[in-house]
Amino acid sequence: MADRVQYKLEQMVDELDDLERKGMFTRREIAGIVKQRKEFEYRLKRPSPLKQDFLAYIEYVTQLDSLRRLRKKSMARELEKQWDKKKRRIKKYVSDFAGVSRIVEIYRIAVMRFKGDLELWFRYLEFCRDKKNGKKVLAKLIRFHPKVPGLWIYAAAWEFDHSLNVSAARALTQNGLRACPHSEDPCVEYLWMELMYLNKLKARKVALGEEKENVVHDYDMLLDEEEELMMDQMLVLRSRRRKSICFVRKARVFFR
């Protein structure tokens, strides 16, 4: 265990040297950081680490990275004064990325240790939401918990609202219907998503105006296809869920 902890600490050398070289932390503060991280690493390397050990380590790294960003901004303001307020782009170094990378690594180990903890998974997912590996984390979460309807809904909403990928959102919702046949939530979500998409198409048609007749004609064809697809989906879902019938009727009134 001591060898593994020492290896982890050695991987932090470049980051800590960079912090000291830039003057963001003193040598005494660096020594304190090493001591604190060593303690956390020993706690994680125990035979049965606790969930709180991972969360405490993540909290410590988050606060440390926030302090680093504050000191970096302060130093940047001082440099701007010396440069007569000329805007210059400050180059990024290893210490600018190390904090986020370490948090992601701690989360990755934690969710593999506590695979059934959905709260921990969602903490990890929310942290990675605006990063490139967010979809990978969500795909892994669904792979471990395919019978949770809310996960399929969350993934479909991500694709529909965040990625603007309607086809992927449809595919995820359909997979959710197959994986959770006894849940009504994916049915309602599927209908709501199709109605929202149809509403967007109609709003876009109005925004284009009457001058672009060809484009408007194409949108009319697309709207007709979308309405047919939605009605087919409504018929299938109505046969499976009685609660969806009221929603379908309201939807028809809404779009008249």
Side-chain angles (χ1 to χ4, degrees), residues 29 33 53 61 91 97 135 139 161 193 200 248-249:
E29 288 175 327
I33 293 172
D53 295 334
V61 177
K91 186 178 179 181
F97 308 99
K135 286 187 178 181
D161 298 326
M193 182 182 66
K200 287 182 179 181
V248 171
R249 289 173 180 170

Side-chain angles (χ1 to χ4, degrees), residues 52-214:
Q52 190 59 36
D53 295 334
F54 292 96
L55 296 180
Y57 196 5
I58 291 170
E59 181 66 21
Y60 171 76
V61 177
T62 302
Q63 292 180 358
L64 184 64
D65 198 53
S66 298
L67 178 60
R68 179 197 62 79
R69 287 197 299 269
L70 287 175
R71 292 186 178 182
K72 182 179 179 180
K73 288 181 180 179
S74 178
M75 293 174 64
R77 286 194 295 267
E78 293 296 328
L79 289 175
E80 286 180 0
K81 292 179 181 179
Q82 295 177 6
W83 294 339
D84 297 328
K85 298 183 179 181
K86 290 182 180 179
K87 292 184 179 180
R88 296 191 181 183
R89 192 172 182 178
I90 300 177
K91 186 178 179 181
K92 292 188 176 183
Y93 295 91
V94 62
S95 59
D96 296 315
F97 308 99
V100 174
S101 299
R102 182 159 294 104
I103 292 173
V104 170
E105 179 65 16
I106 297 170
Y107 266 126
R108 187 188 64 79
I109 299 172
V111 295
M112 290 296 101
R113 181 75 185 183
F114 303 98
K115 295 184 179 70
D117 195 326
L118 288 177
E119 180 185 358
L120 185 60
W121 273 105
F122 270 98
R123 281 174 176 259
Y124 184 23
L125 186 59
E126 287 300 317
F127 181 79
C128 298
R129 184 177 177 84
D130 297 327
K131 299 175 178 59
K132 294 181 179 180
N133 57 343
K135 286 187 178 181
K136 294 181 179 179
V137 175
L138 184 55
K140 188 179 294 185
L141 173 56
I142 291 176
R143 189 164 66 248
F144 282 117
H145 301 277
K147 297 299 182 181
V148 180
L151 298 181
W152 294 103
I153 295 173
Y154 185 94
W158 183 320
E159 291 291 348
F160 188 80
D161 298 326
H162 185 71
S163 301
L164 304 179
N165 191 338
V166 180
S167 299
R170 281 197 187 111
L172 285 167
T173 311
Q174 290 168 0
N175 290 335
L177 288 170
R178 286 190 288 268
C180 308
H182 302 293
S183 176
E184 299 170 352
D185 294 335
C187 299
V188 177
E189 182 66 21
Y190 199 0
L191 290 171
W192 179 251
M193 182 182 66
E194 292 294 346
L195 293 174
M196 290 296 294
Y197 182 57
L198 186 57
N199 193 26
K200 287 182 179 181
L201 291 178
K202 289 193 173 184
R204 189 179 299 176
K205 174 185 173 182
V206 173
L208 288 173
E210 298 179 355
E211 296 180 358
K212 301 181 180 180
E213 296 180 358
N214 294 333

Side-chain angles (χ1 to χ4, degrees), residues 228-239:
E228 291 178 4
L229 176 62
M230 188 180 68
M231 288 304 160
D232 291 341
Q233 293 163 355
M234 285 179 177
L235 292 174
V236 173
L237 295 176
R238 191 171 73 172
S239 65

